[in-house]
Amino acid sequence: MAHWRTWLLPTLLAAAQLALWPGSVLARGDSVEPARAAAVVAAVAVVTAALVQRRRTPVAGTAVVAAGISLGIGVVPGEQFFAPGDVLTVLSVADLVALFSVAVVCSRRTTVLVLAGLGLWQAGLLAIQHESAADYPFDLVIAVCLYALVAASGRIRRRWIADRSAVAHRLAEAQQADREAAAAERGRLARELHDVTAHHLTSIVVNASAAQFLGDQRPELRAEAFDYAARTGRDTLVALRRLVAILPFGEESPAAAAPSLADLADDFRQLGQVVTLETAGDPPPEVAEAMHGIAREALTNTLRYAAGGTVRLRFSYGPGGAELLIDDDGAGDAAGQATGLGGGRGLTGMRDRAQALGGTLEAGPRDGSGWRVRAVLPPPSVPRNAGHLLGRWLRSQVVLDAGLVFLTLVLPLAGFTVVIENDGMAPGPAALVLLAVIAHSVPLLWRRQRPWAVLATVALTTWLGPLLVVTRATPADGGWLFLFSVGADLAAVYAVAARARPSISWLAPLVALASTALALGLLMALEPPTDAVAKPDGPLIFVALVAVVTALAGLLLGVPLGGSWLAGYAARRRRQGRLDREEGAIAVAAAQAELRAQDERARIAAGLRHAVLAHAARVPQAAEEKDLTAVLGSARETLSAMRALLDGLSDRPAPAAPERAPEPASEQASEQAPEQEVRSSPSG
């Protein structure tokens, strides 16, 4: 069953149409031809059914509505109490409803095509209905303008719905982030902790192990290992203490420069890896940072499981996106391997980095031997042209603004036409009156951007009428034409109330009332009786007349101007209230998420202080004391404490096995030849 809002309007239109005809004819006791009545009922049924489906099939529904209206008008050309075409007046509104749905649901291109089709259809329909060709152009222009206004209103409604949908999506994301804030912060800090574990501490273990294996053959390696352990241990301690430091609410870390893959490759070359690097393209900072983290983790794994082996690192960035490829040959020296140091989170961290930017990551054995890691990031999403969107939004608004200007000109132009036809006003004065009336309404096009300036302009142009009469540029008896220009003042007051600062917007109706009432009083007083002007007290009579007419005009205009201000103020309150509710809900969810993240950071910081920092501080201390065994023991104890902390942070148990199994040959060599010379020293 369709939603009640979908079928309510078509049902009301159908009931109103049947009540108008044939209901009103039957109520008068007149007879109705059964065939015509059946045809109208059929047309009403067809149009109603099409309107019920207007949201699902708007274009087809519009075509069916046009066909149904044509059928009804064709079989009921008119009768005693209705002019031709007026019999189905209510049903003829259905095409506007269908067009509005097209503009809301469909694209702009489809809306324009449907609008053009309805314009051609209406042109043919009016040509059939009109007996006189004199009124045909005017009626066609009115119909096309009405279609344009309805289409513009639909596009604005579409934009409004899109804005509400975007806000709802943002709120859902904020609420989801609130629910997942603790887990997300745990994941982020776990990645950072893993980076410290994987790169710094693993490098210390590998370096110290190499020096321990080869200490008798190459004594200089011990000094290099102590220096490396002291330097890297201090870096590790600094990184851990940075994680312990909890940022205040709302404060952000300073943005760091995009890391370099070349520097990363040099670091691992100093650890004995043979790294070849090929790069192409200049990625943005977020891509460079993600690729640096993935490459660091992949190279650290080669240091663990293929120490001293050859690694090929290739990175490219272009219009098609970014690709990072890390291949190793699986070869390496067994004594330099650091198996068992991984925490089982390396691949997860790399995938998280890639997925955070919409990419993918694959890792696994290569054909033959070795290991491959391949990360692919899509090209950065090109933001939709905000200026283009704004242009489309403003074009719809401009159509509505132009329609408003036209509405404020309808009554003055109608009176102007009467004066031209009956009083025979000369072309020169008539043109001046027409320009004055248009100048009074045209500023409304800018009422959204400059409401106070528009109100001031409208108030000033109100005096063009008295000015033309006083200067005798137009006849004195034509001043009444300007009585019908008050619509522009009402629209300007509404704009100030709806758009300007509310604390002083109440001045708008007073400004408009003072200017308009006084101008109208002067216009009416400029048409006094001839004998009154000739009397000695004529000036006093003139002033009294101006005062009386101004007071009457103020009384008459005060209510509509005040009502216009109240309507604009209420619209502003509704709009601001909706925005406050929407943005307030998003802000609350974001604040709650930040508080959850802060709590999680505090919990993790406490764990770091109690379980990890003491062991990490022992590494550079042991290096300065020249105790290689203590360096290895402290580094491994730090790794164990870090792994235990990471296991506690994870929502799932950590994998029992490392991400990558060691090469069988290397493992066998490690068991059979523990004293074998390796190349994983700082000097190579």
Side-chain angles (χ1 to χ4, degrees):
M1 183 177 179
H3 195 274
W4 67 271
R5 292 183 179 179
T6 302
W7 56 259
L8 178 60
L9 180 58
T11 302
L12 292 177
L13 288 177
Q17 174 56 56
L18 294 177
L20 177 66
W21 200 97
S24 61
V25 177
L26 296 175
R28 293 193 305 267
D30 297 337
S31 61
V32 176
E33 294 184 15
R36 288 187 175 182
V40 170
V41 172
V44 170
V46 169
V47 170
T48 303
L51 289 182
V52 169
Q53 300 296 322
R54 66 188 183 278
R55 298 183 184 274
R56 296 182 180 179
T57 56
V59 177
T62 303
V64 173
V65 166
I69 294 175
S70 301
L71 172 64
I73 292 178
V75 298
V76 188
E79 45 100 357
Q80 180 180 359
F81 295 95
F82 295 98
D86 291 342
V87 173
L88 299 181
T89 299
V90 177
L91 192 64
S92 62
V93 181
D95 57 339
L96 301 178
V97 177
L99 176 59
F100 184 86
S101 298
V102 169
V104 171
V105 176
C106 300
S107 65
R108 183 177 57 170
R109 182 172 180 271
T110 302
T111 302
V112 171
L113 292 176
V114 172
L115 180 62
L118 285 177
L120 294 175
W121 167 73
Q122 191 65 236
L125 202 61
L126 290 175
I128 296 173
Q129 290 179 303
H130 276 70
E131 299 177 356
S132 173
D135 297 333
Y136 175 77
F138 179 77
D139 290 345
L140 181 59
V141 169
I142 294 296
V144 171
C145 291
L146 186 59
Y147 281 145
L149 291 176
V150 170
S153 301
R155 298 303 296 176
I156 291 175
R157 177 65 179 177
R158 175 187 175 92
R159 177 68 177 181
W160 188 90
I161 294 174
D163 288 343
R164 302 287 73 72
S165 177
V167 169
H169 181 68
R170 287 173 54 205
L171 179 59
E173 287 183 338
Q175 292 172 341
Q176 183 71 13
D178 178 27
R179 290 190 293 269
E180 299 176 353
E185 190 66 11
R186 283 198 301 271
R188 185 186 70 81
L189 291 176
R191 285 194 299 272
E192 292 196 31
L193 289 171
H194 184 269
D195 289 344
V196 173
T197 303
H199 183 54
H200 291 80
L201 295 176
T202 300
S203 300
I204 292 174
V205 171
V206 170
N207 211 305
S209 298
Q212 194 175 52
F213 274 116
L214 303 176
D216 296 336
Q217 303 175 19
R218 299 178 60 183
E220 73 278 4
L221 292 182
R222 297 179 65 87
E224 294 177 358
F226 288 138
D227 179 70
Y228 185 83
R231 184 176 66 255
T232 308
R234 284 191 293 269
D235 292 342
T236 303
L237 201 58
V238 169
L240 290 175
R241 285 172 176 167
R242 178 181 61 82
L243 291 177
V244 169
I246 302 299
L247 293 175
F249 182 79
E251 184 177 338
E252 296 182 356
S253 302
S260 168
L261 290 178
D263 294 339
L264 184 65
D266 288 339
D267 291 342
F268 279 88
R269 290 190 187 105
Q270 294 177 9
L271 295 174
Q273 296 295 94
V274 181
V275 181
T276 61
L277 175 65
E278 300 176 13
T279 60
D282 186 17
E286 62 273 11
V287 174
E289 183 179 0
M291 289 304 191
H292 182 276
I294 294 172
R296 179 175 58 190
E297 176 61 30
L299 289 173
T300 301
N301 282 338
T302 65
L303 190 64
R304 288 175 180 155
Y305 306 114
T310 300
V311 184
R312 288 170 295 278
L313 192 154
R314 287 175 289 177
F315 172 74
S316 62
Y317 178 80
E323 181 182 25
L324 177 67
L325 196 64
I326 302 107
D327 288 331
D328 69 72
D329 55 11
D333 296 315
Q337 291 184 359
T339 57
L341 299 181
R345 296 176 180 82
L347 289 180
T348 301
M350 288 191 288
R351 287 196 178 96
D352 288 344
R353 292 181 187 275
Q355 291 172 358
L357 297 179
T360 58
L361 183 133
E362 300 173 356
R366 296 173 54 202
D367 294 338
S369 64
W371 194 264
R372 164 172 289 184
V373 174
R374 180 174 180 265
V376 178
L377 299 183
S381 57
V382 179
R384 300 179 68 183
N385 191 329
H388 184 53
L389 286 176
L390 183 61
R392 286 193 289 176
W393 171 247
L394 287 178
R395 279 199 289 273
S396 296
Q397 294 286 16
V398 166
V399 172
L400 287 186
D401 291 343
L404 176 63
V405 171
F406 177 75
L407 290 177
T408 61
L409 290 173
V410 168
L411 287 178
L413 291 179
F416 177 76
T417 304
V418 172
V419 170
I420 293 295
E421 293 180 353
N422 298 336
D423 298 343
M425 183 182 293
L432 291 176
V433 172
L434 180 61
L435 290 176
V437 170
I438 293 176
H440 186 59
S441 296
V442 165
L444 294 176
L445 292 173
W446 294 274
R447 74 190 190 282
R448 300 176 187 276
Q449 296 79 22
R450 298 288 186 272
W452 276 111
V454 168
L455 177 64
T457 305
V458 169
L460 290 176
T461 53
T462 301
W463 290 87
L464 290 176
L467 179 63
L468 293 177
V469 174
V470 169
T471 58
R472 300 186 182 278
T474 60
D477 57 358
W480 66 272
L481 287 173
F482 298 97
L483 293 174
F484 302 105
S485 300
V486 181
D489 301 84
L490 296 174
V493 169
Y494 179 93
V496 171
R499 300 286 175 178
R501 192 170 59 182
S503 59
I504 59 173
S505 66
W506 57 272
L507 293 172
L510 300 180
V511 172
L513 182 62
S515 175
T516 305
L518 186 57
L520 293 179
L522 183 59
L523 279 173
M524 295 298 98
L526 288 175
E527 301 183 21
T530 305
D531 54 351
V533 177
K535 292 180 179 180
D537 55 352
L540 294 178
I541 296 176
F542 178 79
V543 172
L545 186 58
V546 170
V548 171
V549 176
T550 300
L552 291 175
L555 292 175
L556 293 175
L557 295 177
V559 174
L561 286 172
S564 181
W565 180 85
L566 287 175
Y569 185 78
R572 180 189 181 91
R573 289 288 300 273
R574 288 195 304 271
R575 181 176 66 250
Q576 193 62 45
R578 184 185 67 246
L579 293 176
D580 290 344
R581 288 192 300 272
E582 293 172 347
E583 298 301 328
I586 294 173
V588 168
Q592 290 176 346
E594 178 62 24
L595 290 176
R596 293 179 191 273
Q598 279 191 343
D599 292 341
E600 195 64 21
R601 286 199 295 270
R603 187 176 73 85
I604 295 170
L608 282 172
R609 291 191 189 96
H610 297 149
V612 179
L613 282 178
H615 297 298
R618 179 61 184 155
V619 174
Q621 181 181 351
E624 293 173 357
E625 295 173 355
K626 309 300 182 183
D627 188 345
L628 193 59
T629 302
V631 168
L632 274 171
S634 299
R636 291 184 180 275
E637 287 175 355
T638 305
L639 284 169
S640 299
M642 189 82 74
R643 183 185 302 174
L645 179 61
L646 292 174
D647 289 342
L649 296 180
S650 177
D651 291 332
R652 57 179 176 80
E659 301 97 334
R660 171 180 173 181
E663 296 292 331
S666 298
E667 187 174 338
Q668 184 179 4
S670 177
E671 295 174 355
Q672 296 178 357
E675 303 298 329
Q676 183 179 355
E677 182 179 1
V678 296
R679 296 174 298 168
S680 55
S681 64
S683 60

